[in-house]
Amino acid sequence: MNAPDTFDTMLVSHETQAAEGYNFAYLDEQTKRMIRRALLKAVAVPGYQVPFASREMPLPYGWGTGGIQVTAAIIGANDTLKVIDQGSDDTTNAVNIRRFFARTTGVATTRRTSEATIVQTRHRIPETPLDEKQILVYQVPMPEPLYRLEPRVAECRKLHALADYGLISVKLYEDIVQHGSIATTYDYPVTVNGRYLASPSPIPKFDNPKLHMNAALQLFGAGRERRIYAIPPYTPVKSLDFDDHPFEVQRWEHACALCGSRESFLDEMIVDDAGKRMFVCSDSDYCHERRINQDHQENRENAPTRPAGEHA
Amino acid sequence: MTQAFTPLLRARHLTKQYGGRNGCRDVSFDLYPGEVLCIVGESGSGKTTLLNTLALRTEADAGALDYVDANGETLDLLTLSEPRRRLLARTEWGFVQQNPRDGLRAGVSAGANIGEPLMAVGARHYGRIRQTAQQWMQRVELDAARIDELPAAFSGGMQQRLQIARNLVTGPRLVFMDEPTAGLDVSVQARLLDLLRTLTTTLHLSVLIVTHDIGVARLLAHRLMVMQGGAVVESGLTDQVLDDPQHPYTQTLVASVLPV
């Protein structure tokens, strides 16, 4: 959204070294090594929360400190970074984190999902399917799915160790009692690889099916809670449910007002004081790409029809 | 037939003390399937410590504790691994707390409270969980229409019955009860005892009840253990102990019951 973003990328790419006085990707090498060790462990035990020594980052907790540390640990000079917040490349959080990495690493940044090698995200999984060469980094505020049910951390760890997950069903049961259906719509708990219960970070449950057998490596970083966990490529991920109340994602009666998509996750926007509403894709890149393709198609369709019309 | 003569729970010289004082020491007994054993004694005599030690809620200092599980396998409870202990507690045991608020989850509805043990052992069908919860509410004489209310909406006696339903829903073989009738008024106590007596006979439960109320023991228990200062001073059939107490402490205890 703001122009300086591209300006910074240009500025930094002129220099071989990243921003002066800082190590590549801000964190020192020892810290990155520590995080990589945690990441390896996390990938080896899918869904297990690995503790790590989270560092102070130059932004407040809750703004993506966990995600940033994971990204800093895995990013290399040849990577292309995309950062999204609520699906959009243009929100404050996304713009700032993208600029942060552009300055401290000098890597190329992009808004196109297909071009990125690392996508750092908050609240969404891109609509465009990811491939095996890509890594998705999630910013996680609360990694513990049992947090609201079992306040004792030691007890929670024990429940995870023993796969004693009856408690989480109680929450779903209460949802049905109170709302008639499972009313959890974001941060919907999942079982990773048939073993560990994990929180998918506050993504809408609409995105939960994308966690399942995803080709990309998915890494989760929680800075304040000091936990890292991962879903390796092609790992089965199951959203919890009841046999007679199966998991389902939300659907809209509307299509995206800009690109006409009926498949993507839509944001409802109020566009004037009279309360006029408009539904648009939350994934800005997906919406953009679709509109470009539609323009191309229209041009191609229009080009041959016009001369044909003249001949007739 | 032979099964009935094998003890379900077998304790030998069980000791649990706090810094060498209090607690309980050198307790030995056998509990047979379908038997109701009452532990009576004044407050501070180590009843609850004993019960917690037996239910593996506190670590024993010394002694031996064997349990015969549903498959007929004899388990050494004191060396049993934590996952096995938890599995036992989930599937074959129940624990009714003195204060129902300790045994219930306050933030979720009555139905969820009864359904939680079921979900912990893998029930994943909402309709059936709910149906079972309703059946159990009826069995403990609660209005099944109140299934969606929070525990706080029920009276003390009702909460206690709710807790009993929650503990019995998984069909346990052994139930521990810590003063289940304390803090209830006398008429509610009587109904609860009546209910407990019906349930233990129909479900063929083995029950260990801790109480300071001789009336509870008289009504429910087959056998009695009298504790004083952490040690068992007398034990035997309920009627025998209460009608012909041998130990001086038991004599005072029996004599102290006010005649109505």
Side-chain angles (χ1 to χ4, degrees):
Chain A
M1 188 155 46
N2 301 331
D5 191 25
T6 41
F7 172 66
D8 280 336
T9 324
M10 269 165 53
L11 188 82
V12 177
S13 59
H14 281 298
E15 307 163 50
T16 43
Q17 194 61 40
E20 212 172 313
Y22 287 104
N23 190 28
F24 181 79
Y26 184 79
L27 290 176
D28 61 287
E29 292 303 314
Q30 280 298 335
T31 302
K32 285 198 248 176
R33 204 173 294 170
M34 173 271 293
I35 295 171
R36 286 174 200 145
R37 274 201 295 268
L39 284 170
L40 286 175
K41 190 168 176 183
V43 171
V45 193
Y48 171 68
Q49 298 167 41
V50 185
F52 79 110
S54 177
R55 295 287 191 259
E56 288 276 344
M57 296 303 284
L59 78 169
Y61 290 127
W63 284 54
T65 50
I68 289 182
Q69 289 180 77
V70 170
T71 304
I74 59 172
I75 201 165
N78 299 324
D79 273 315
T80 309
L81 180 71
K82 171 185 163 78
V83 184
I84 51 174
D85 173 9
Q86 309 273 9
S88 167
D89 292 271
D90 306 329
T91 44
T92 316
N93 199 270
V95 168
N96 280 311
I97 294 174
R98 186 164 59 232
R99 191 189 297 165
F100 171 81
F101 279 113
R103 273 187 189 161
T104 56
T105 64
V107 301
T109 58
T110 181
R111 289 162 190 232
R112 303 185 60 172
T113 307
S114 51
E115 283 174 5
T117 56
I118 299 173
V119 181
Q120 181 171 334
T121 178
R122 172 173 175 260
H123 288 200
R124 277 313 307 279
I125 298 177
E127 304 283 358
T128 317
L130 301 169
D131 65 31
E132 290 161 0
K133 294 200 175 69
Q134 294 178 305
I135 299 177
L136 192 55
V137 177
Y138 295 79
Q139 299 168 197
V140 184
M142 176 31 85
E144 180 52 72
L146 298 170
Y147 166 65
R148 296 230 168 258
L149 302 156
E150 177 52 72
R152 292 169 292 178
V153 176
E155 181 66 15
C156 276
R157 297 185 68 172
K158 210 172 254 179
L159 293 177
H160 280 295
L162 303 175
D164 191 351
Y165 292 140
L167 208 53
I168 196 86
S169 304
V170 174
K171 177 180 184 289
L172 301 184
Y173 176 97
E174 272 305 282
D175 261 8
I176 303 176
V177 166
Q178 285 174 19
H179 309 286
S181 63
I182 299 175
T184 310
T185 50
Y186 67 96
D187 207 355
Y188 193 101
V190 293
T191 309
V192 179
N193 203 24
R195 174 61 180 84
Y196 279 100
L197 183 73
S199 146
S201 87
I203 59 170
K205 73 173 174 183
F206 178 88
D207 283 340
N208 269 25
K210 296 187 195 128
L211 295 164
H212 178 64
M213 293 308 242
N214 199 321
L217 171 63
Q218 302 174 76
L219 304 174
F220 297 77
R224 177 176 40 207
E225 303 296 327
R226 301 168 179 222
R227 294 287 184 276
I228 282 173
Y229 53 107
I231 302 176
Y234 302 112
T235 304
V237 176
K238 192 184 174 310
S239 304
L240 298 181
D241 59 4
F242 284 109
D243 296 343
D244 49 345
H245 285 267
F247 173 80
E248 52 192 22
V249 298
Q250 56 265 62
R251 296 268 167 239
W252 286 264
E253 291 165 5
H254 309 76
C256 169
L258 300 178
C259 75
S261 171
R262 287 195 166 271
E263 283 84 53
S264 77
F265 187 85
L266 300 181
D267 281 342
E268 182 181 10
M269 305 210 305
I270 296 171
V271 287
D272 61 14
D273 287 346
K276 199 178 163 214
R277 279 140 213 272
M278 177 177 159
F279 287 86
V280 290
C281 294
S282 98
D283 187 337
S284 58
D285 167 63
Y286 172 81
C287 196
H288 190 63
E289 294 286 313
R290 271 178 61 93
R291 274 179 286 158
I292 289 176
N293 288 343
Q294 281 163 2
D295 285 348
H296 279 300
Q297 229 165 4
E298 259 169 46
N299 289 343
R300 243 178 288 138
E301 276 166 11
N302 289 345
T305 49
R306 224 176 287 133
E310 279 170 10
H311 278 286
Chain B
M1 204 60 234
T2 49
Q3 181 130 36
F5 294 105
T6 333
L8 187 71
L9 192 71
R10 191 167 162 276
R12 288 291 174 270
H13 311 294
L14 212 57
T15 299
K16 167 70 194 175
Q17 290 191 307
Y18 304 101
R21 293 184 294 117
N22 306 336
C24 59
R25 55 177 194 277
D26 202 23
V27 177
S28 304
F29 70 92
D30 291 338
L31 179 72
Y32 288 87
E35 189 180 36
V36 180
L37 176 61
C38 221
I39 304 166
V40 292
E42 61 191 358
S43 74
S45 62
K47 307 185 298 284
T48 300
T49 301
L50 176 62
L51 195 76
N52 283 331
T53 314
L54 293 170
L56 305 179
R57 296 189 156 219
T58 46
E59 206 70 38
D61 295 338
L65 189 60
D66 292 333
Y67 172 76
V68 181
D69 74 358
N71 304 321
E73 195 186 342
T74 306
L75 305 171
D76 179 2
L77 290 182
L78 298 186
T79 57
L80 203 65
S81 67
E82 172 115 30
R84 294 287 303 273
R85 285 181 183 199
R86 280 181 176 245
L87 187 71
L88 265 187
R90 271 211 302 271
T91 55
E92 298 195 11
W93 293 358
F95 196 105
V96 178
Q97 306 263 13
Q98 176 170 5
N99 186 344
R101 265 154 291 180
D102 295 337
L104 292 171
R105 204 170 280 284
V108 297
S109 66
N113 267 297
I114 302 178
E116 186 185 342
L118 291 173
M119 292 184 248
V121 294
R124 289 293 178 274
H125 192 285
Y126 175 79
R128 279 202 284 274
I129 292 169
R130 209 172 156 73
Q131 207 182 344
T132 317
Q134 274 169 334
Q135 282 167 3
W136 267 101
M137 287 186 73
Q138 279 162 359
R139 281 186 91 160
V140 296
E141 296 164 20
L142 289 170
D143 183 2
R146 298 185 67 183
I147 185 166
D148 293 337
E149 293 179 24
L150 293 179
F154 292 88
S155 75
M158 288 172 168
Q159 287 179 9
Q160 194 58 282
R161 276 179 275 158
L162 198 59
Q163 196 196 176
I164 289 166
R166 172 187 162 97
N167 273 288
L168 296 185
V169 69
T170 48
R173 305 171 67 223
L174 173 59
V175 180
F176 301 93
M177 294 189 189
D178 189 3
E179 310 252 16
T181 58
L184 301 178
D185 77 63
V186 186
S187 62
V188 177
Q189 264 191 32
R191 276 182 64 195
L192 189 71
L193 287 173
D194 203 32
L195 176 76
L196 280 177
R197 196 162 58 167
T198 321
L199 287 174
T200 48
T201 21
T202 49
L203 300 171
H204 196 65
L205 288 173
S206 301
V207 188
L208 266 164
I209 303 184
V210 157
T211 183
H212 58 248
D213 188 342
I214 295 287
V216 173
R218 174 78 93 176
L219 205 61
L220 282 179
H222 301 141
R223 274 198 306 137
L224 216 58
M225 282 198 327
V226 184
M227 288 186 78
Q228 188 196 21
V232 175
V233 293
E234 188 169 353
S235 66
L237 295 176
T238 308
D239 292 345
Q240 178 197 326
V241 173
L242 294 184
D243 294 344
D244 183 20
Q246 300 296 313
H247 191 272
Y249 173 68
T250 320
Q251 287 166 0
T252 4
L253 197 70
V254 174
S256 69
V257 177
L258 296 173
V260 182

